[in-house]
Amino acid sequence: MVPLAGIRDSIFSIAARIVRAVRTWWTPVRRHPRRLELAWTESDRAAVEGLALAAAPREGGIVAFCHRSTGTTRETVIVGTPLIPIPGDLGYARGAVVTITSKYWNRVIDALRDQPEGTGVVVLHTHPGAGTPEWSSDDQKADRSLASFLFGEGFVPAHAPLVSLVASHTDLRGRMLTYDATSGSVTMTPIQRVRTISLSQISLVSTGDRAEFGPESAVPAAADRSVRVFGKAGQRQLADLHVALVGTGGVGSICGEHLARWGVGTVSTWDPDHIEDVNINRSGVYTWADARKRLLKARTLAEALEAFSLVRTIRTFWSASDIRQTRELPRLLDADIIVSLVDDARPRHFLNQLAGAHYIPVIDAGNVVRSTAEDDAAAETAEVEGAAVRISVIVPGGP
C-alpha cells in the first residue's frame, strides 16, 4: 500500500517546483548598462595624448577616429590613428585655452568619408599639470554644441561613437556623447576604464569616474603570499581582471584552476568537448566521476572554480559552442585577455582577427611531444624523440 501522505508530499513538491520555474520564467531580466571603456595602442596613445600634452604650458587639442566594440557587459571605444593638426587647426582664447577651429573640423568631416562605416570621432584637449582634470563650463557647452552639430547634420551617424577626452599630465577622463534628435538633448556617459596595449604589456587603469570596487574585490588574508609579490593594489587589479579561456583540456583546465587560485575575478570558458578517461591524468579539476558522466569540460571547470577561488565571489561564464558563432562574440568582447589553448587552426585564426579588431590581447599556446609510440597505443616501450612549447602574444600591430 502506498502512503497517501507520501503522494501528497510528492504532489506538493512537484507543484512547488512548477511555481518556481514559472516565476523564474516570468521574472523580467534586469538589464544593467554596459560599462564604458576606452582602448588604444601605446603608440596611438602617444600620438594622440602625447602630442596634445606637448603644447604645454598651453592647452593642446587633437582629433582621432574611433569605432565601437560592443560586448555583453562592456562597451569599448577603440581609438585609432589621429588626424594630426596643422597650422591654423587650433586657436587660442585668452592666451592658453585651446579651440578646435572650423578649419580643423572641415578636415575631419572630409576625412570621415574615407573611413569604414560606423567610424566615429574622438576629440581630446588637455589641462596641463597634475591631478584629475575637470571639464570647465566652456567645455560643457562646447561638447553639447559639437554633438548637436555632428549628429544633427548627419556628419557622424547616430550609431557611431562621439567621445570627448580631457587629459592632464597624470590623469585622463572621458565621456561618450549621444544625441536625441527628437528632443535635441545630449547625454554624456563617463568612461570608466582605459586599457592601453603594447607588444609587451596591457595596462588597465580605472578613471576617476568609476565607482569604487565592490566588496568582492577586498583582499583576503589568504592572499598574503600574493600580496608580498603584487601588493594589495595589484591583487585588487587581478580581482578586476576578466580572462577568457578558449579550450579547457589538459593545459586549459590547469590554467583556469590557477587563474582562480591567483585571484582573477572573472573567468569565462569555451570548449565543446566532454570529459573522457584519457583526460584525467593530464588535466586539472576533472575526476573519474566526471568522465563517467561525460560532463562538459567548459561547464565542469567553470563550476569548480568557486571552491578554491581567492576572490570572495568569482564570476564565471561557460559555453560549449564554437567561438566563431555570432552569438558567442559579445561574451568574448567582455574579456580583458583571451587565452587560446586549442588544437585547431580555425578558431586560432578567428581569435587572431579578434585581437587586432577589438584590442583584446590573445595569448595563444600549444605543446607537442614526439615519441616512437605516438602511433602505437599498445607499445611496451617508447622513446621521446622531441618536444616543443610555443607561446604567442597577439595584439594590434603584433604577430
Side-chain angles (χ1 to χ4, degrees):
M1 181 180 294
V2 179
L4 293 178
I7 296 175
R8 181 195 61 197
D9 292 344
S10 297
I11 292 173
F12 285 161
S13 176
I14 294 171
R17 291 179 186 178
I18 293 173
V19 170
R20 284 197 298 270
V22 170
R23 283 178 178 172
T24 301
W25 186 70
W26 279 105
T27 299
V29 177
R30 293 183 179 180
R31 299 191 180 278
H32 298 284
R34 294 182 181 92
R35 184 173 72 192
L36 183 61
E37 297 192 3
L38 181 139
W40 46 15
T41 64
E42 190 174 53
S43 57
D44 282 339
R45 180 167 190 168
V48 177
E49 186 182 33
L51 186 62
L53 286 169
R58 295 198 301 180
E59 293 183 1
I62 193 167
V63 178
F65 298 118
C66 64
H67 63 275
R68 292 178 187 268
S69 172
T70 304
T72 302
T73 63
R74 177 177 76 182
E75 174 133 18
T76 303
V77 177
I78 297 177
V79 182
T81 306
L83 190 64
I84 305 296
I86 60 177
D89 281 349
L90 300 178
Y92 286 91
R94 302 188 297 277
V97 178
V98 70
T99 301
I100 295 179
T101 66
S102 57
K103 176 186 174 182
Y104 197 173
W105 281 119
N106 285 335
R107 289 181 59 219
V108 171
I109 291 167
D110 288 342
L112 266 173
R113 299 186 183 126
D114 299 323
Q115 299 297 315
E117 169 64 22
T119 298
V121 172
V122 171
V123 54
L124 179 146
H125 77 283
T126 65
H127 290 177
T132 303
E134 301 287 344
W135 281 279
S136 67
S137 57
D138 288 341
D139 296 336
Q140 301 283 5
K141 294 176 183 177
D143 280 355
R144 293 185 186 281
S145 297
L146 181 64
S148 299
F149 172 66
L150 291 179
F151 286 124
E153 297 297 327
F155 294 122
V156 174
H159 62 278
L162 175 60
V163 173
S164 171
L165 301 177
V166 56
S168 70
H169 281 84
T170 58
D171 290 285
L172 176 74
R173 294 179 69 192
R175 56 195 184 188
M176 181 183 287
L177 312 178
T178 53
Y179 177 70
D180 186 324
T182 303
S183 64
S185 62
V186 176
T187 302
M188 302 180 182
T189 305
I191 291 172
Q192 298 187 43
R193 192 168 69 157
V194 177
R195 67 181 188 267
T196 305
I197 301 169
S198 70
L199 293 175
S200 60
Q201 67 179 16
I202 175 173
S203 168
L204 299 164
V205 179
S206 294
T207 70
D209 292 297
R210 186 177 182 189
E212 292 294 324
F213 294 124
E216 69 277 1
S217 64
V219 179
D224 175 76
R225 297 302 185 267
S226 297
V227 168
R228 292 170 190 254
V229 177
F230 307 117
K232 287 189 176 182
Q235 197 64 49
R236 280 191 290 268
Q237 192 166 43
L238 284 173
D240 193 43
L241 196 65
H242 182 171
V243 178
L245 280 175
V246 180
T248 59
V251 179
S253 60
I254 294 171
C255 184
E257 177 183 347
H258 282 277
L259 287 172
R261 294 187 188 278
W262 204 20
V264 170
T266 306
V267 178
S268 298
T269 59
W270 275 265
D271 199 314
D273 290 342
H274 295 80
I275 302 168
E276 301 178 15
D277 287 349
V278 294
N279 301 135
I280 304 304
N281 72 328
R282 55 191 178 86
S283 303
V285 177
Y286 306 145
T287 67
W288 297 113
D290 297 334
R292 285 193 296 271
K293 298 175 184 175
R294 297 197 77 248
L295 299 181
L296 288 165
K297 291 179 179 178
R299 179 175 184 173
T300 304
L301 177 60
E303 292 180 347
L305 298 183
E306 185 177 1
F308 43 76
S309 170
L310 191 60
V311 297
R312 291 181 178 177
T313 306
I314 189 170
R315 295 171 294 275
T316 60
F317 166 82
W318 66 271
S319 174
S321 297
D322 188 320
I323 58 167
R324 294 171 295 165
Q325 294 188 21
T326 303
R327 67 173 181 269
E328 302 300 312
L329 182 60
R331 286 286 184 179
L332 278 169
L333 297 186
D334 288 340
D336 299 312
I337 298 171
I338 298 173
V339 181
S340 171
L341 299 165
V342 297
D343 54 5
D344 188 328
R346 292 169 294 181
R348 277 195 170 118
H349 177 65
F350 172 81
L351 291 174
N352 183 68
Q353 292 180 305
L354 185 146
H358 296 275
Y359 286 33
I360 301 174
V362 172
I363 301 173
D364 184 87
N367 63 79
V368 61
V369 178
R370 178 63 189 174
S371 166
T372 57
E374 184 172 342
D375 300 319
D376 183 6
E380 288 291 337
T381 62
E383 180 180 345
V384 174
E385 299 176 313
V389 174
R390 177 193 49 74
I391 300 176
S392 303
V393 180
I394 305 161
V395 295

